[in-house]
RNA sequence: GGACCUGUGGCUUAGCCAGGAUAUAGCGCCGGGCUUCUAACCCGGAUGCCGGGGGUUCGAAUCCCUCCAGGUCCGCCA
């Protein structure tokens, strides 16, 4: 309803003014939509903006009135207000299952996210990547795109060689009940300490790097065992956070299947290539100071070579490729894009996010300085269970635990997604454990309240007679949901959805406070129940697109 | 030193790319509201030279320049 109404008004304005761009935007408190085109026309026509606005409003009023839209000039602003017909139709649309979904698209989309090195568990910095990527993926799916989500497994880097060395030489046993990723981290940290103490060990690491590149079976087996041990733990953490990947792409596969060799060959033929011991690409013409190294002087490949092969493969298999990467990858990401362009391949789009640090400094797996996602989930779940137990002593421990898990995952996901990715943040336990505020539980609670009303009401005949300010404000906001999904996808900014969902909950709570539903009668009761159903459905769809459970009771 | 990102009430934060009408919310603070559909809620109040300075524009939190502060990167690591 929103899209068709917007388009209709835009076209009416264009026809009336003869302008292509009609400066039509949100009207804030003043209107549902407003145009500021009179300012621009004032210059050309040498007439006061208010006079122009009044003229346009008068001209458009009769035809828009037939669509139940009023036009009014207020000074230089042309304000459009939607009437009952819009509100009724918007609520009707919002009753449908899957509301907010957009028409099916043809372009195949691949979103790569998380892709953390398998040398330890995910920490609270990694999950900013995971949550951003997963929310974006959910939005793309809702917007009708065929989608594949990938995790690129760096299974042959120096870190993994260090882990493999640690397993071979340190004789560290796995603790009782220890997750694989935490065990791998312990070995990795200890191995790094050993290297610091004895630099001679480095030769053993280098030997493993060369062996893995040559595909030495025993080395491959040892690396793979370590990586799979770690990846199993990472997958479990991601599953706890409602995050899944369709495919895990192993870096070493691009070496084994000769894909990387092909890319290196093509790079060597570029005019920008420099083959002087190392193979590198001179990107100085594109503003990069440092050369982009592809192959070491000893003939082994560096990460960049495998990454180029992976992205070349992706370019050939998908129409849109999106990588979610931390700010530390900005330079290499740009170098990768630039080099792919030189090769004539479509480079990926990169969605960057800034760092999450601890109050005592940056996180580092190697130094063992991080707060793991598992620890965060455990703490927040325990805190949520306390809260549920206070509020709902009537429920069984199983029911309370299930609610606590949903609340905890929602709180974590929401806390991370609500902040714009370009802002760096400092992790704060106190804040993470507090959900009496702008949070997922607040939105989940509004949804649960709506469910409770609907359950108590039983059956009803849908009606669409809305009268109070709270009813209309809620209905009009519900109507914006498909637009928000479109925006999230177009701008690759899922945090817009978190803002929208919270606003929906705000408006529902205000409606709830002033508009008794079950105690009203006749058309009012049916209309309000219809609106509650629409709000419940919208909140549910919005929450699920954010990867948060829409609880029916809490 | 260079490149990129950030700076909005005491704290956290939306809006900035596509400039417009009194700058968005939350926490905290002050004052109200549960015999009423779940108070993880609602209502009212105080708190802002939108980092500083210059510029463009009828109009700047938003665009440009500059300075200051914080983060990130600049490896034959990934």
């Amino acid at each position: 309803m929103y899209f068709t109404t917007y388009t209709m008004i835009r076209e009416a304005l264009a026809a009336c003014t003869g302008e292509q761009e009609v400066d039509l935007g949100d009207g804030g408190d003043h209107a549902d939509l407003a145009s500021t085109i009179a300012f621009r026309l004032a210059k050309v026509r040498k007439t006061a903006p208010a006079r122009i606005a009044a003229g346009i409003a008068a001209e458009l009023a009769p035809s828009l009135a037939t669509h139940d839209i009023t036009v009014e000039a207020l000074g230089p602003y042309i304000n459009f207000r939607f009437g009952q017909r819009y509100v009724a139709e918007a609520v009707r649309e919002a009753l449908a299952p899957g509301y907010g979904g957009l028409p099916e698209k043809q372009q195949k989309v691949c979103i790569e996210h998380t892709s953390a090195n398998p040398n330890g568990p995910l920490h609270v910095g990694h999950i900013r990547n995971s949550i951003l990527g997963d929310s974006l993926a959910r939005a793309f799916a809702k917007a009708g795109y065929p989608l594949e989500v990938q995790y690129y497994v760096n299974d042959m880097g120096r870190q993994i060689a260090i882990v493999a060395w640690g397993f071979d030489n340190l004789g560290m046993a796995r603790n009782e009940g220890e997750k694989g990723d935490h065990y791998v981290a312990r070995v990795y940290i200890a191995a790094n300490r050993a290297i610091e103490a004895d630099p001679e060990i480095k030769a053993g690491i280098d030997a493993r790097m060369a062996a893995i590149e040559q595909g030495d079976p025993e080395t491959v087996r040892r690396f793979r065992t370590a990586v799979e041990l770690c990846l199993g733990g990472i997958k479990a953490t991601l599953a706890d956070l409602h995050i899944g990947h369709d495919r895990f792409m192993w870096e070493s596969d691009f070496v084994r299947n000769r894909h990387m060799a092909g890319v290196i060959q093509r790079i060597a033929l570029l005019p920008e290539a420099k083959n002087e011991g190392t193979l590198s690409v001179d990107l100085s013409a594109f503003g990069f100071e440092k050369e982009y190294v592809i192959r070491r002087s000893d003939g082994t490949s560096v990460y960049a070579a495998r990454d180029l092969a992976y992205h070349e493969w992706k370019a050939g298999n998908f129409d849109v490729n999106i990588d979610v990467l931390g700010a530390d990858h900005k330079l290499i990401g740009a170098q990768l894009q630039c080099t792919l362009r030189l090769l004539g391949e479509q480079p990926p789009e990169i969605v960057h996010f800034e760092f999450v640090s601890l109050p005592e400094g940056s996180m580092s797996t190697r130094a063992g300085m991080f707060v793991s996602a598992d620890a965060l989930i455990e703490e927040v779940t325990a805190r949520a269970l306390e809260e549920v137990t206070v509020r709902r002593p009537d429920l069984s421990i199983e029911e309370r635990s299930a609610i606590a898990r949903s609340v905890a995952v929602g709180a974590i996901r929401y806390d991370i997604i609500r902040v714009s990715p370009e802002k760096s943040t400092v992790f704060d336990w106190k804040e993470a454990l507090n959900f009496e505020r702008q949070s997922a539980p607040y939105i989940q609670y509004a949804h649960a309240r709506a469910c409770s009303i609907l359950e108590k009401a039983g059956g009803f005949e849908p009606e669409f007679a809305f009268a109070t300010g709270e009813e209309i404000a809620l209905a009009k906001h519900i109507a914006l949901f498909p637009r928000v999904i479109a925006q999230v996808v177009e701008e690759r900014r899922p945090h817009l959805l978190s803002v929208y969902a919270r606003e929906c909950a705000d408006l529902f709570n205000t409606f709830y406070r002033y508009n008794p539903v079950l105690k009203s009668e006749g058309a009012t009761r049916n209309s309000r129940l219809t609106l509650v159903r629409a709000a419940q459905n919208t909140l549910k769809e919005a929450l699920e697109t954010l990867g948060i459970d829409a609880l029916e009771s809490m």
Side-chain angles (χ1 to χ4, degrees):
Chain A
M1 195 58 196
Y2 176 83
F3 290 128
T4 54
T5 306
Y6 181 92
T7 304
M8 182 178 72
I9 292 174
R10 180 166 51 76
E11 282 169 1
L13 271 167
C16 171
T17 60
E19 295 287 313
Q20 276 295 308
E21 174 53 56
V22 294
D23 300 342
L24 185 62
D26 287 337
D29 295 339
H30 306 276
D32 294 311
L33 286 174
S35 170
T36 56
I37 195 173
F39 286 110
R40 197 148 50 79
L41 291 177
K43 251 179 225 163
V44 192
R45 298 189 187 171
K46 309 224 181 298
T47 311
R51 203 186 158 97
I52 293 172
I56 293 171
E59 199 178 323
L60 294 181
S63 66
L64 289 178
T66 67
H67 293 97
D68 193 24
I69 294 166
T70 58
V71 195
E72 199 177 72
L74 185 64
Y77 300 93
I78 306 163
N79 292 331
F80 301 88
R81 275 193 204 81
F82 307 157
Q84 281 297 323
R85 209 181 302 170
Y86 174 90
V87 174
E89 193 48 41
V91 172
R92 190 189 306 278
E93 286 176 10
L95 296 173
Y99 175 58
L102 304 179
E104 304 241 321
K105 313 290 191 297
Q106 294 305 312
Q107 294 158 284
K108 285 166 67 186
V109 177
C110 177
I111 295 179
E112 181 207 331
H113 71 77
T114 308
S115 301
N117 282 328
N119 58 357
L122 296 179
H123 60 55
V124 297
H126 292 129
I127 61 171
R128 190 173 195 187
N129 186 321
S130 312
I131 290 166
L132 190 52
D134 185 66
S135 303
L136 198 56
R138 288 167 184 267
F140 266 90
K142 191 142 186 70
Y145 288 89
L147 174 73
E148 183 164 314
V149 180
Q150 297 191 349
Y151 187 122
Y152 184 53
V153 184
N154 304 135
D155 64 330
M156 56 182 296
R158 180 154 230 108
Q159 286 95 329
I160 307 309
I162 292 171
V163 171
W165 179 90
F167 274 111
D168 289 345
N169 292 279
L170 298 175
M172 293 170 66
R174 188 168 175 176
N175 292 333
E176 179 81 23
E178 187 174 36
K179 271 184 79 208
D181 47 348
H182 290 258
Y183 175 37
V184 167
R186 262 197 320 121
V187 172
Y188 179 65
I189 293 162
N192 274 292
R193 294 219 174 107
I195 294 165
E196 269 174 52
D198 177 11
E200 298 288 301
I201 293 169
K202 211 174 150 285
I205 310 288
D206 289 341
R208 282 173 173 77
M209 299 278 287
I212 191 73
E213 177 117 0
Q214 284 150 22
D216 170 64
E218 183 56 19
T219 309
V220 167
R221 195 186 63 74
R222 283 167 185 273
F223 271 47
R224 196 154 198 112
T225 304
V227 168
E228 270 172 354
L229 184 59
C230 191
L231 215 49
I234 288 175
K235 286 181 191 175
T237 305
L238 290 172
D240 283 346
L241 291 169
H242 305 160
I243 297 168
H245 290 83
D246 299 306
R247 279 171 95 173
F248 286 73
M249 302 299 294
W250 290 61
E251 182 183 11
S252 58
D253 286 345
F254 290 93
V255 177
R256 196 166 314 120
N257 64 19
R258 307 294 299 154
H259 210 111
M260 183 188 77
V263 171
I264 289 179
Q265 252 176 11
R266 289 171 60 198
I267 286 174
L269 296 174
L270 290 173
E272 293 84 359
K274 283 179 74 176
N275 206 336
E276 301 165 354
T278 64
L279 173 65
S280 63
V281 188
D282 179 3
L283 300 173
S284 58
F286 308 96
F288 297 96
E289 286 178 26
K290 303 280 174 147
E291 283 169 11
Y292 190 42
V293 177
I294 307 296
R295 193 176 58 205
R296 300 187 183 92
S297 53
D298 66 2
T300 59
S301 62
V302 296
Y303 175 80
R306 282 102 66 177
D307 208 17
L308 282 162
Y310 172 46
H311 282 92
E312 187 203 42
W313 175 83
K314 282 206 281 191
N317 284 277
F318 298 95
D319 302 304
V320 178
N321 279 293
I322 298 174
D323 293 357
V324 181
L325 295 171
D328 54 337
H329 285 67
K330 274 187 187 176
L331 178 60
I332 55 161
Q335 288 171 325
L336 174 88
Q337 289 172 317
C338 188
T339 306
L340 281 166
R341 267 185 219 107
L342 292 177
L343 290 172
E345 301 289 349
Q346 180 73 35
E349 289 177 40
I350 302 180
V351 173
H352 285 290
F353 63 94
E354 292 289 329
F355 260 44
V356 180
S357 56
L358 298 178
E360 51 271 43
S362 315
M363 274 178 275
S364 160
T365 303
R366 179 175 49 199
M369 189 150 103
F370 58 87
V371 173
S372 76
D374 294 324
L376 175 66
I377 294 166
E378 194 183 323
E379 288 288 325
V380 176
T381 305
R383 171 79 190 83
L385 183 58
E386 280 175 31
E387 199 69 35
V388 180
T389 300
V390 169
R391 293 168 195 282
R392 300 297 303 273
D394 55 308
L395 298 179
S396 71
I397 181 66
E398 288 77 19
E399 289 169 307
R400 279 180 281 134
S401 297
I403 292 170
R405 274 195 296 278
S406 290
V407 164
V409 171
I412 291 168
R413 289 190 63 127
Y414 196 86
D415 255 354
I416 287 170
I417 202 68
R418 60 182 257 272
V419 180
S420 306
E422 61 271 16
K423 295 218 186 198
S424 51
T425 63
V426 177
F427 178 76
D428 179 358
W429 272 112
K430 219 176 93 189
E431 219 168 276
L433 293 172
N434 177 10
F435 4 87
E436 292 180 352
R437 59 196 179 93
Q438 222 166 40
S439 67
Y442 170 81
I443 303 165
Q444 289 171 308
Y445 185 66
H447 177 264
R449 277 178 147 180
C451 287
S452 174
I453 291 175
L454 292 168
E455 198 197 335
K456 289 195 167 109
F460 62 93
E461 274 304 305
E463 289 197 47
F464 301 88
F466 305 109
T468 69
E470 293 86 12
E471 288 170 345
I472 290 164
L474 175 58
K476 284 182 173 174
H477 206 256
I478 284 171
L480 295 177
F481 185 44
R483 186 190 77 167
V484 173
I485 294 295
Q487 265 182 335
V488 165
V489 164
E490 277 160 26
E491 300 177 26
R492 285 90 162 106
R493 287 172 71 79
H495 97 278
L496 296 173
L497 183 56
S498 69
V499 174
Y500 174 79
R502 197 210 69 226
E503 288 168 347
C504 268
D506 286 341
L507 289 166
F508 178 79
N509 280 328
T510 307
F511 158 81
Y512 178 96
R513 165 70 179 78
Y514 293 104
N515 299 264
V517 178
L518 298 177
K519 286 185 179 162
S520 57
E521 291 174 352
T524 301
R525 185 176 192 273
N526 282 339
S527 294
R528 286 183 180 168
L529 279 168
T530 306
L531 182 58
V532 170
R533 169 65 75 197
Q536 177 270 324
N537 192 39
T538 305
L539 285 166
K540 171 175 166 286
E541 295 292 334
L543 282 167
E544 287 177 352
T545 306
L546 289 167
I548 299 169
D549 291 331
L551 294 169
E552 291 178 13
S553 169
M554 63 187 280

